[in-house]
Amino acid sequence: MTNQDLIKDGKASLGIEFGSTRIKAVLIHPQTCEVLASGSHSWENRLENGIWTYHLDEVVKGMQSCYQDLVKDIQDKYQVKVTKFAAIGISAMMHGYIALDKDDKQLSPFKTWRNTCSRDASAKLTEIFQFNIPERWTIAHLYQSILNDEEHVKDLDYVITLAGYIHYLLTGQKVLGVGDAAGMFPIDSDSMDFAGKYVDIFDKLIENKHYSWKLKDIFPKVLKSGQNAGNLTESGAKLLDPTGSLEANIPLCPPEGDAGTGMVATNAVAPRTGNVSAGTSIFAMIVLEHALKDLHRELDNVCTPDGRQVAMVHANNCTSDLNAWVSIFDEFAKLSGHPLDPNDLFKLLYNHALTGEENCGGVLTYGYLSGEFITNLTEGRPMMVRTPDSKFTLANLMRSNLNTSLGAVRLGMDILASENVKIDKLLGHGGLFKTKGVGQKIMADALNIPVWVMTTAGEGGAWGIAILANYLVNKACDQELPDYLDKVVFKEASGDVIKPDPKGVHGFNEFMQNYVKCLPVEKAATECFK
């Protein structure tokens, strides 16, 4: 069949991912998983009353705008009216807190992964469970609301992540993929469900509050990849496509978090593989052969979309301030009367950064727009400091901004190295790798591990969730997810690898020594500069 016929007959699968700055839709071929069409919508989080959030009406409007952009791309390329798909998948930023009552009314502002306002709850639950509960996890936000005696808690009927919320709007099903669920609450990899012993501990912990609910009453049902997660309802079809062209009853795969879709998009779901997603935030996902020996507050224990144990190193800040520095030079270029295409500007500055000194010549930056748990900061202040005798060049400044975007995640990876975790292959994806070879080299030197970037890496999580949707309806002979990715999706994939350069590794280590020593300066900035 031609691509036109595939789309017309509803054989292609659709994935939609809600990222930090962009909602992206991807339509893929049922056999090859190649991208047939795409659409996008730009948006930004907002800081309101100390909470990083998006309004839920923005979620719906952004989804509709993104979908219509996809429809336009399909029409332009294939002259086909879209009425159905083989399957749909929804993905979004992991973690966070969306609270609804029995009438689906929002009870509390949507808290994203970026918030660091549940420190007391995080610390107490970690101590009680003896299992790391990061601040951004849903259970930490819920327990913090309880500790704060917030009025809304007694009226809870459903607590969910962003991906699960959108899926619920489209299907009416209160379910969540195991990878995203692992960012809500600890998962038992044997039962593929929220860990019963911790559920019991939590229910007993709050029983003196006499709420009408227990934890499992308000949490979603957990599903693994390949399971049916419900069908698109009539109201869901009209919500996604207000024009009324889209038919109902399309199956949906379990909704997933962006960490899980990043693993799928880089073929990093088997033990001893890993991937680093580097964009607004940065997280490294390493699939484990066995559980870690010790409790580490800097590491999340999460899952692949098919339930394998993963160590996750998550840092809130990566490219946001780096992009802000590029914007400064964009403004200067325009002021000079010689404006540059944004992509050309990034390439120019990123490649020039590689001509700088590996240790950045005494120039140190922190791209902390928000707090950073790994470095024990509840707030952030983007900052640049340098020694009087520093070599303050454009190359060193830009290299420092690239280096610092990996600073926090490097600290977490050092802990994994101390646990003797083996990594055969590390794959990079996300905005940091858009300029060929630059972010990849900086990361290889920073982590002292060869870093691969696949030719498909730019497709990102929207492609990953589209693959999971396709896996739902097209997996052959009940293939396990790693086999399906190896034998179908990445059968003919290609990519480039950059190995660590000893000089670059040494220089990055020197940069990290300054990064760690000067963290009290960053902390002082958060206290003094309000």
Side-chain angles (χ1 to χ4, degrees):
M1 298 178 70
T2 65
N3 290 343
Q4 186 179 44
D5 289 336
L6 285 170
I7 297 170
K8 184 177 179 180
D9 291 350
K11 303 294 186 183
S13 293
L14 171 66
I16 304 177
E17 180 159 282
F18 292 71
S20 301
T21 59
R22 186 174 65 152
I23 304 170
K24 185 176 180 180
V26 165
L27 189 68
I28 65 171
H29 192 285
Q31 277 79 52
T32 65
C33 291
E34 67 175 306
V35 175
L36 300 175
S38 64
S40 66
H41 171 84
S42 296
W43 69 342
E44 285 286 350
N45 58 188
R46 55 179 83 195
L47 184 62
E48 294 183 341
N49 301 316
I51 300 295
W52 290 102
T53 189
Y54 302 83
H55 292 182
L56 295 189
D57 62 335
E58 295 176 327
V59 172
V60 173
K61 290 175 183 176
M63 176 179 67
Q64 293 171 343
S65 171
C66 176
Y67 180 78
Q68 288 305 314
D69 196 44
L70 170 75
V71 169
K72 181 180 183 302
D73 192 41
I74 294 171
Q75 179 62 40
D76 291 345
K77 289 179 177 176
Y78 307 104
Q79 294 76 53
V80 172
K81 181 180 179 180
V82 180
T83 61
K84 55 187 175 180
F85 304 104
I88 299 174
I90 299 296
S91 173
M93 300 167 278
M94 279 184 73
H95 315 298
Y97 182 75
I98 296 177
L100 306 174
D101 69 9
K102 60 182 177 59
D103 298 316
D104 294 336
K105 178 184 176 183
Q106 186 181 4
L107 296 173
S108 175
F110 166 36
K111 298 181 179 71
T112 74
W113 55 269
R114 195 166 216 166
N115 288 284
T116 53
C117 55
S118 56
R119 178 154 294 202
D120 290 344
S122 170
K124 289 181 180 180
L125 289 176
T126 298
E127 181 180 0
I128 293 168
F129 289 174
Q130 283 301 291
F131 184 101
N132 185 35
I133 303 295
E135 292 180 65
R136 62 189 171 278
W137 279 31
T138 307
I139 190 61
H141 288 300
L142 172 60
Y143 189 47
Q144 190 66 54
S145 298
I146 293 171
L147 293 177
N148 295 345
D149 290 320
E150 294 182 27
E151 182 69 17
H152 82 271
V153 178
K154 65 178 178 57
D155 297 319
L156 287 174
D157 184 71
Y158 190 36
V159 173
I160 191 60
T161 64
L162 180 58
Y165 172 73
I166 300 158
H167 184 93
Y168 175 56
L169 294 180
L170 298 178
T171 67
Q173 299 296 311
K174 295 180 176 180
V175 300
L176 197 62
V178 65
D180 204 8
M184 291 186 71
F185 193 87
I187 291 290
D188 181 335
S189 291
D190 293 327
S191 67
M192 292 289 175
D193 199 359
F194 297 118
K197 66 176 181 179
Y198 299 127
V199 170
D200 293 341
I201 291 171
F202 185 81
D203 284 339
K204 188 170 182 61
L205 179 65
I206 64 169
E207 65 181 0
N208 65 325
K209 296 292 185 177
H210 304 293
Y211 296 128
S212 61
W213 51 264
K214 291 187 180 297
L215 189 66
K216 291 293 286 283
D217 298 329
I218 62 172
F219 267 22
K221 180 181 178 181
V222 179
L223 301 175
K224 64 178 287 189
S225 55
Q227 291 184 279
N228 187 287
N231 294 324
L232 187 67
T233 62
E234 293 285 352
S235 61
K238 290 177 181 176
L239 189 70
L240 180 56
D241 180 17
T243 70
S245 298
L246 185 63
E247 298 175 5
N249 295 318
I250 299 169
L252 273 79
C253 69
E256 268 297 348
D258 52 358
T261 58
M263 286 188 279
V264 171
T266 53
N267 193 17
V269 298
R272 294 174 68 116
T273 64
N275 81 91
V276 180
S277 175
T280 303
S281 64
I282 181 169
F283 45 85
M285 309 288 294
I286 311 301
V287 187
L288 301 174
E289 297 177 278
H290 47 74
L292 298 176
K293 295 189 294 290
D294 299 317
L295 168 67
H296 300 285
R297 290 305 316 273
E298 300 88 351
L299 304 177
D300 291 20
N301 295 278
V302 292
C303 295
T304 63
D306 61 342
R308 300 171 195 271
Q309 290 192 41
V310 172
M312 178 181 185
V313 182
H314 184 285
N316 286 348
N317 302 280
C318 185
T319 62
S320 291
D321 195 54
L322 174 57
N323 293 343
W325 277 102
V326 174
S327 294
I328 288 290
F329 294 109
D330 179 56
E331 184 179 348
F332 172 77
K334 291 174 181 175
L335 188 65
S336 73
H338 301 282
L340 293 172
D341 176 84
N343 290 329
D344 291 338
L345 181 61
F346 270 95
K347 289 178 183 177
L348 183 69
L349 292 172
Y350 273 37
N351 282 294
H352 188 57
L354 294 185
T355 69
E357 296 174 71
E358 286 79 3
N359 65 2
C360 304
V363 179
L364 176 65
T365 53
Y366 291 98
Y368 286 15
L369 281 178
S370 61
E372 196 62 78
F373 186 83
I374 290 178
T375 52
N376 199 33
L377 290 166
T378 57
E379 296 182 60
R381 298 292 184 273
M383 186 174 68
M384 189 271 288
V385 295
R386 59 190 180 94
T387 58
D389 60 346
S390 63
K391 296 177 181 177
F392 188 47
T393 65
L394 178 59
N396 282 340
L397 173 63
M398 291 309 301
R399 186 154 193 152
S400 178
N401 282 309
L402 284 163
N403 279 10
T404 201
S405 66
L406 304 176
V409 81
R410 158 65 187 269
L411 296 175
M413 293 294 283
D414 284 346
I415 295 171
L416 287 180
S418 72
E419 282 261 10
N420 201 32
V421 171
K422 303 298 183 185
I423 306 171
D424 293 335
K425 198 172 187 180
L426 191 65
L427 298 106
H429 65 111
L432 184 67
F433 304 101
K434 193 170 183 179
T435 299
K436 183 177 175 62
V438 178
Q440 190 178 359
K441 173 175 171 46
I442 297 291
M443 183 171 290
D445 291 345
L447 304 183
N448 199 18
I449 299 172
V451 175
W452 285 81
V453 172
M454 308 300 289
T455 55
T456 54
E459 303 299 345
W463 186 55
I465 191 62
I467 291 170
L468 289 174
N470 202 53
Y471 177 62
L472 170 67
V473 293
N474 289 297
K475 61 181 185 290
C477 303
D478 294 321
Q479 283 177 310
E480 292 295 319
L481 183 60
D483 291 336
Y484 178 76
L485 295 178
D486 279 339
K487 296 175 182 178
V488 178
V489 182
F490 292 93
K491 183 179 180 180
E492 299 180 2
S494 60
D496 297 312
V497 63
I498 291 181
K499 297 180 179 179
D501 170 56
K503 187 177 179 182
V505 171
H506 179 74
F508 197 94
N509 287 341
E510 287 187 347
F511 175 86
M512 282 302 297
Q513 290 174 6
N514 290 327
Y515 181 97
V516 172
K517 284 191 298 185
C518 292
L519 282 170
V521 181
E522 171 70 18
K523 182 174 177 58
T526 68
E527 296 169 346
C528 302
F529 191 21
K530 299 291 185 179

